[in-house]
Structures are given as structure tokens and as C-alpha cells.
Amino acid sequence: MSTKEIAGKAIEFDADGYMADYKQWDQQVAEALASDIGITLTDAHWKVINFCRTDYEAQGDAPTLRRITTVGGVPTKDLYQLFPKGPAKKVAYVAGLKKPSGCI
Amino acid sequence: MFEDKERKLCIICSKGTLDMAYPGLILANAALMEGIDVTLFFTFWGLDIINKKKMNHLKFVPIGNPSMPIPNSVGGLPGMTNVATAVMKREIAKLDFPGVQEFLDMIADAGGMLYACKMSVDMFHDMHMMNTEDIYERVEGVVGATDFMEMSEDAQIIFI
């Protein structure tokens, strides 16, 4: 567990480097986290992020990439373009969720 | 966090049964999700995985498998392969893993490269077991073993 100042807020991170409490998250935090990993958020990114947060609240786990595609309606190709080289983990990171545990 | 890696993975798929097709597909997809460069090489019976006529009908064979909880005398009864295949497909779907064709689409959409082995394609063609037209469109090409050696330079290789 560590605390870092993100967008003017003291945010706690877990041992994996993901936000420890997804309730500390807001839009400014997401933008700062995204810029940390070289991503500038567009509406297409927000669609994915919002789906992931809603799904996390309902399911208690960060959605798998396949779930973002089949339930969230975002094609695989788009996910790899929006969050290159590691889309599932990068989305979870920016959305303030725990590291995803799914294999797909 | 998320530092750029230069990791490359090549997976050789040499088996065409349902239970031997999934490990390669799952690992390829997982590697792509981790930002790893992936090449899949389908050889011998593994060609069934990218054969349009067969890819969605791969079977799980219960006979000759000591891990199965039923004896060979039962596993070898007529229809048992279809029953075992149906059960495995149902379990795979329950875990939200796609069918073979959809899985290949996902891998190709994620940037994975699919290749068929030339020697195997020639041999199966000669035996009237498949034509080059049967190869799935998402496959980049039919290449030889030496081409594979070039492609897999500096890559980690998994043989299934």
C-alpha cells in the first residue's frame, strides 16, 4: 500500500499499483492516471471506462476484455487501439479498479 | 508501471483436438493482453484449428486419457466422443471463453499473427484431407519451417 498525490488528491494504491479504493476515483484522477501511462482520454476511452466502473460495481471484479467486448459492445480492435499493449490492465488502472484477474 | 516490453512469443499448435487447441489460443490471447508480440504456427493436426471446415467441430476424445474418470471400455463406446465434446464445450462457454473461430478472430484483431505450416498443408492436400481454400481468411500465410525460424528469432517458443 502506498499513497500518491494524483490530481490534488491523496490516492492510495495497492501492492499491484492499482487504486486501493475505487471510490476515491473521479474524472480528474482518471485523466491524471491515463496521462501517467501516455494516454489522452477521448469519448471512446470514457465509454470503456464508464462501462468498466458500472460493471465493477455490479460484479465486484474488473471486467475481462471479452466482457468489455460482448457486454460493453466495444470491439477487440478498438480496445487495443485505445489502450495499446495491455488493454485490460490499463483500463482497470485508469478506471480506478483492482488488477483484473480474468484470463480472457 | 506498464513499461514497454520487447517480448516476443511464438506458439506452435500441432494438435487438433478441442482440449489441445485451447491452451494455444488462451496463451496467445493472454500474451497479447500483456502487450507481448504473438505469432501462432499451425502444423500437422493443429491445422484443423484453422481449417474452416473443421475449426468449429473440434472434438475432445475421452479414450486413451488416464486423467478421465471413466475407463476406456466406456469412453470407447459409440457416441462418447460427442458427449465428452459437448460437455467440454459447455464448460468452456460457462467460463466465457469463445468458440475456436471467434477466438482466432479475437487474436487476429488484437494483432496476433497466424501462419499455417507449408509442409503439413502440402501433405494433407496430397492426402485429400484439405485444400488451401479451407484455410481460414485470418491466417496471414502458409510458410515453411525455415521461415518460422526467421519469424521466431529472439522469441520464446511454446510447442503444444
Short mmCIF file of all heavy atoms in Angstrom, two decimals, chain B residues 14-48:
data_model
loop_
_atom_site.label_atom_id
_atom_site.label_comp_id
_atom_site.label_asym_id
_atom_site.label_seq_id
_atom_site.Cartn_x
_atom_site.Cartn_y
_atom_site.Cartn_z
N SER B 14 0.27 -28.11 -32.68
CA SER B 14 0.44 -29.31 -33.51
C SER B 14 -0.68 -30.33 -33.32
O SER B 14 -0.65 -31.40 -33.92
CB SER B 14 1.79 -29.96 -33.21
OG SER B 14 1.75 -30.60 -31.95
N LYS B 15 -1.64 -30.00 -32.46
CA LYS B 15 -2.71 -30.96 -32.17
C LYS B 15 -4.07 -30.37 -32.53
O LYS B 15 -4.30 -29.17 -32.34
CB LYS B 15 -2.70 -31.31 -30.68
CG LYS B 15 -1.43 -32.02 -30.20
CD LYS B 15 -1.42 -33.47 -30.63
CE LYS B 15 -0.44 -34.30 -29.82
NZ LYS B 15 0.94 -33.86 -29.99
N GLY B 16 -4.98 -31.22 -32.99
CA GLY B 16 -6.26 -30.72 -33.46
C GLY B 16 -7.45 -31.12 -32.60
O GLY B 16 -8.60 -30.97 -33.01
N THR B 17 -7.20 -31.62 -31.39
CA THR B 17 -8.34 -31.93 -30.52
C THR B 17 -8.74 -30.66 -29.77
O THR B 17 -7.94 -29.74 -29.60
CB THR B 17 -7.99 -33.04 -29.50
OG1 THR B 17 -6.86 -32.62 -28.75
CG2 THR B 17 -7.68 -34.35 -30.20
N LEU B 18 -9.98 -30.64 -29.32
CA LEU B 18 -10.51 -29.46 -28.64
C LEU B 18 -9.66 -29.08 -27.43
O LEU B 18 -9.33 -27.91 -27.22
CB LEU B 18 -11.96 -29.74 -28.21
CG LEU B 18 -12.76 -28.58 -27.65
CD1 LEU B 18 -12.99 -27.53 -28.73
CD2 LEU B 18 -14.09 -29.07 -27.10
N ASP B 19 -9.30 -30.09 -26.64
CA ASP B 19 -8.55 -29.82 -25.41
C ASP B 19 -7.11 -29.37 -25.68
O ASP B 19 -6.49 -28.75 -24.83
CB ASP B 19 -8.56 -31.04 -24.47
CG ASP B 19 -8.10 -32.30 -25.17
OD1 ASP B 19 -8.47 -32.51 -26.34
OD2 ASP B 19 -7.37 -33.09 -24.55
N MET B 20 -6.58 -29.67 -26.87
CA MET B 20 -5.23 -29.23 -27.19
C MET B 20 -5.23 -27.94 -28.02
O MET B 20 -4.19 -27.31 -28.20
CB MET B 20 -4.48 -30.34 -27.93
CG MET B 20 -4.16 -31.54 -27.05
SD MET B 20 -3.18 -31.09 -25.60
CE MET B 20 -1.53 -31.36 -26.25
N ALA B 21 -6.39 -27.55 -28.52
CA ALA B 21 -6.49 -26.29 -29.27
C ALA B 21 -6.54 -25.10 -28.31
O ALA B 21 -5.89 -24.08 -28.52
CB ALA B 21 -7.74 -26.29 -30.15
N TYR B 22 -7.29 -25.27 -27.23
CA TYR B 22 -7.50 -24.13 -26.31
C TYR B 22 -6.24 -23.61 -25.61
O TYR B 22 -6.09 -22.40 -25.49
CB TYR B 22 -8.62 -24.43 -25.31
CG TYR B 22 -9.95 -23.98 -25.88
CD1 TYR B 22 -10.66 -24.81 -26.73
CD2 TYR B 22 -10.44 -22.71 -25.65
CE1 TYR B 22 -11.84 -24.39 -27.32
CE2 TYR B 22 -11.61 -22.27 -26.24
CZ TYR B 22 -12.32 -23.11 -27.06
OH TYR B 22 -13.47 -22.67 -27.66
N PRO B 23 -5.33 -24.48 -25.15
CA PRO B 23 -4.15 -23.91 -24.48
C PRO B 23 -3.41 -22.89 -25.34
O PRO B 23 -3.03 -21.81 -24.86
CB PRO B 23 -3.27 -25.14 -24.20
CG PRO B 23 -4.23 -26.27 -24.11
CD PRO B 23 -5.32 -25.95 -25.10
N GLY B 24 -3.22 -23.21 -26.62
CA GLY B 24 -2.52 -22.28 -27.51
C GLY B 24 -3.29 -20.98 -27.69
O GLY B 24 -2.70 -19.89 -27.66
N LEU B 25 -4.61 -21.11 -27.87
CA LEU B 25 -5.43 -19.91 -28.09
C LEU B 25 -5.47 -19.03 -26.83
O LEU B 25 -5.36 -17.80 -26.91
CB LEU B 25 -6.85 -20.32 -28.49
CG LEU B 25 -6.96 -21.14 -29.79
CD1 LEU B 25 -8.39 -21.63 -30.00
CD2 LEU B 25 -6.50 -20.31 -30.98
N ILE B 26 -5.60 -19.68 -25.70
CA ILE B 26 -5.67 -18.92 -24.43
C ILE B 26 -4.35 -18.21 -24.15
O ILE B 26 -4.32 -17.03 -23.80
CB ILE B 26 -6.06 -19.86 -23.26
CG1 ILE B 26 -7.51 -20.32 -23.43
CG2 ILE B 26 -5.87 -19.16 -21.91
CD1 ILE B 26 -7.93 -21.45 -22.51
N LEU B 27 -3.24 -18.93 -24.35
CA LEU B 27 -1.93 -18.32 -24.09
C LEU B 27 -1.64 -17.19 -25.08
O LEU B 27 -1.10 -16.14 -24.69
CB LEU B 27 -0.83 -19.37 -24.15
CG LEU B 27 -0.83 -20.40 -23.02
CD1 LEU B 27 0.23 -21.46 -23.27
CD2 LEU B 27 -0.56 -19.72 -21.67
N ALA B 28 -2.02 -17.40 -26.34
CA ALA B 28 -1.79 -16.35 -27.34
C ALA B 28 -2.54 -15.09 -26.96
O ALA B 28 -2.00 -13.98 -26.95
CB ALA B 28 -2.24 -16.83 -28.72
N ASN B 29 -3.81 -15.26 -26.60
CA ASN B 29 -4.64 -14.12 -26.24
C ASN B 29 -4.14 -13.44 -24.95
O ASN B 29 -4.07 -12.21 -24.88
CB ASN B 29 -6.09 -14.58 -26.07
CG ASN B 29 -7.02 -13.44 -25.78
OD1 ASN B 29 -7.18 -12.54 -26.59
ND2 ASN B 29 -7.61 -13.45 -24.60
N ALA B 30 -3.74 -14.24 -23.98
CA ALA B 30 -3.23 -13.68 -22.72
C ALA B 30 -1.95 -12.88 -22.98
O ALA B 30 -1.76 -11.80 -22.42
CB ALA B 30 -2.95 -14.81 -21.72
N ALA B 31 -1.09 -13.41 -23.84
CA ALA B 31 0.15 -12.71 -24.16
C ALA B 31 -0.15 -11.37 -24.84
O ALA B 31 0.45 -10.35 -24.50
CB ALA B 31 1.03 -13.57 -25.07
N LEU B 32 -1.10 -11.37 -25.76
CA LEU B 32 -1.47 -10.12 -26.43
C LEU B 32 -2.02 -9.11 -25.43
O LEU B 32 -1.71 -7.92 -25.49
CB LEU B 32 -2.50 -10.40 -27.53
CG LEU B 32 -1.94 -11.14 -28.75
CD1 LEU B 32 -3.05 -11.79 -29.56
CD2 LEU B 32 -1.13 -10.20 -29.63
N MET B 33 -2.80 -9.61 -24.47
CA MET B 33 -3.36 -8.71 -23.44
C MET B 33 -2.26 -8.11 -22.58
O MET B 33 -2.46 -7.09 -21.94
CB MET B 33 -4.35 -9.47 -22.55
CG MET B 33 -5.61 -9.88 -23.27
SD MET B 33 -7.02 -10.15 -22.17
CE MET B 33 -6.38 -11.26 -20.97
N GLU B 34 -1.09 -8.78 -22.56
CA GLU B 34 0.04 -8.27 -21.79
C GLU B 34 0.97 -7.40 -22.64
O GLU B 34 2.05 -7.02 -22.19
CB GLU B 34 0.84 -9.45 -21.22
CG GLU B 34 0.16 -10.14 -20.06
CD GLU B 34 0.02 -9.22 -18.86
OE1 GLU B 34 1.05 -8.77 -18.34
OE2 GLU B 34 -1.13 -8.92 -18.48
N GLY B 35 0.58 -7.17 -23.90
CA GLY B 35 1.41 -6.34 -24.77
C GLY B 35 2.58 -7.10 -25.39
O GLY B 35 3.54 -6.49 -25.86
N ILE B 36 2.48 -8.43 -25.40
CA ILE B 36 3.55 -9.25 -25.98
C ILE B 36 3.22 -9.54 -27.45
O ILE B 36 2.06 -9.77 -27.81
CB ILE B 36 3.68 -10.58 -25.18
CG1 ILE B 36 4.09 -10.27 -23.73
CG2 ILE B 36 4.67 -11.53 -25.83
CD1 ILE B 36 3.95 -11.44 -22.78
N ASP B 37 4.25 -9.50 -28.28
CA ASP B 37 4.12 -9.79 -29.70
C ASP B 37 3.88 -11.30 -29.89
O ASP B 37 4.64 -12.09 -29.34
CB ASP B 37 5.50 -9.43 -30.27
CG ASP B 37 5.45 -9.10 -31.71
OD1 ASP B 37 4.96 -8.03 -32.02
OD2 ASP B 37 5.91 -9.95 -32.49
N VAL B 38 2.82 -11.68 -30.63
CA VAL B 38 2.48 -13.11 -30.71
C VAL B 38 2.39 -13.63 -32.14
O VAL B 38 1.77 -13.00 -33.00
CB VAL B 38 1.14 -13.40 -29.99
CG1 VAL B 38 0.70 -14.84 -30.20
CG2 VAL B 38 1.25 -13.10 -28.50
N THR B 39 3.02 -14.76 -32.38
CA THR B 39 2.88 -15.48 -33.65
C THR B 39 2.45 -16.90 -33.36
O THR B 39 3.02 -17.56 -32.49
CB THR B 39 4.23 -15.51 -34.41
OG1 THR B 39 4.64 -14.17 -34.67
CG2 THR B 39 4.10 -16.26 -35.73
N LEU B 40 1.43 -17.35 -34.09
CA LEU B 40 0.96 -18.73 -33.93
C LEU B 40 1.29 -19.49 -35.21
O LEU B 40 1.06 -18.98 -36.32
CB LEU B 40 -0.55 -18.76 -33.70
CG LEU B 40 -1.03 -18.41 -32.30
CD1 LEU B 40 -2.43 -17.86 -32.36
CD2 LEU B 40 -1.01 -19.63 -31.40
N PHE B 41 1.82 -20.68 -35.07
CA PHE B 41 2.20 -21.51 -36.21
C PHE B 41 1.44 -22.82 -36.09
O PHE B 41 1.60 -23.55 -35.11
CB PHE B 41 3.72 -21.72 -36.13
CG PHE B 41 4.34 -22.38 -37.32
CD1 PHE B 41 4.41 -21.74 -38.55
CD2 PHE B 41 4.92 -23.64 -37.20
CE1 PHE B 41 5.02 -22.35 -39.64
CE2 PHE B 41 5.53 -24.26 -38.29
CZ PHE B 41 5.59 -23.60 -39.51
N PHE B 42 0.58 -23.11 -37.08
CA PHE B 42 -0.25 -24.31 -37.02
C PHE B 42 0.34 -25.39 -37.91
O PHE B 42 0.52 -25.18 -39.12
CB PHE B 42 -1.68 -23.97 -37.46
CG PHE B 42 -2.34 -22.97 -36.56
CD1 PHE B 42 -2.25 -21.60 -36.83
CD2 PHE B 42 -3.03 -23.38 -35.43
CE1 PHE B 42 -2.83 -20.67 -35.99
CE2 PHE B 42 -3.63 -22.44 -34.59
CZ PHE B 42 -3.53 -21.09 -34.87
N THR B 43 0.66 -26.51 -37.31
CA THR B 43 1.29 -27.59 -38.05
C THR B 43 0.60 -28.92 -37.78
O THR B 43 -0.05 -29.08 -36.75
CB THR B 43 2.81 -27.63 -37.70
OG1 THR B 43 3.45 -28.58 -38.54
CG2 THR B 43 3.03 -28.02 -36.25
N PHE B 44 0.78 -29.85 -38.70
CA PHE B 44 0.14 -31.17 -38.60
C PHE B 44 -1.33 -31.08 -38.17
O PHE B 44 -2.09 -30.32 -38.73
CB PHE B 44 0.98 -32.07 -37.67
CG PHE B 44 1.88 -32.96 -38.48
CD1 PHE B 44 3.09 -32.49 -38.97
CD2 PHE B 44 1.50 -34.26 -38.80
CE1 PHE B 44 3.91 -33.29 -39.76
CE2 PHE B 44 2.32 -35.07 -39.58
CZ PHE B 44 3.52 -34.59 -40.06
N TRP B 45 -1.73 -31.81 -37.16
CA TRP B 45 -3.15 -31.84 -36.80
C TRP B 45 -3.63 -30.48 -36.29
O TRP B 45 -4.82 -30.20 -36.28
CB TRP B 45 -3.43 -32.93 -35.75
CG TRP B 45 -2.79 -34.23 -36.10
CD1 TRP B 45 -1.84 -34.91 -35.41
CD2 TRP B 45 -3.03 -35.03 -37.29
NE1 TRP B 45 -1.46 -36.06 -36.07
CE2 TRP B 45 -2.19 -36.15 -37.22
CE3 TRP B 45 -3.87 -34.88 -38.39
CZ2 TRP B 45 -2.15 -37.13 -38.22
CZ3 TRP B 45 -3.84 -35.86 -39.39
CH2 TRP B 45 -3.00 -36.96 -39.28
N GLY B 46 -2.70 -29.64 -35.90
CA GLY B 46 -3.04 -28.29 -35.47
C GLY B 46 -3.69 -27.48 -36.58
O GLY B 46 -4.37 -26.48 -36.33
N LEU B 47 -3.49 -27.93 -37.84
CA LEU B 47 -4.13 -27.24 -38.97
C LEU B 47 -5.65 -27.27 -38.86
O LEU B 47 -6.33 -26.40 -39.40
CB LEU B 47 -3.71 -27.90 -40.30
CG LEU B 47 -2.33 -27.53 -40.85
CD1 LEU B 47 -2.07 -28.30 -42.13
CD2 LEU B 47 -2.22 -26.03 -41.12
N ASP B 48 -6.19 -28.28 -38.18
CA ASP B 48 -7.65 -28.36 -38.01
C ASP B 48 -8.19 -27.10 -37.32
O ASP B 48 -9.34 -26.70 -37.54
CB ASP B 48 -8.04 -29.58 -37.15
CG ASP B 48 -7.98 -30.87 -37.97
OD1 ASP B 48 -7.60 -30.81 -39.16
OD2 ASP B 48 -8.30 -31.93 -37.42
#
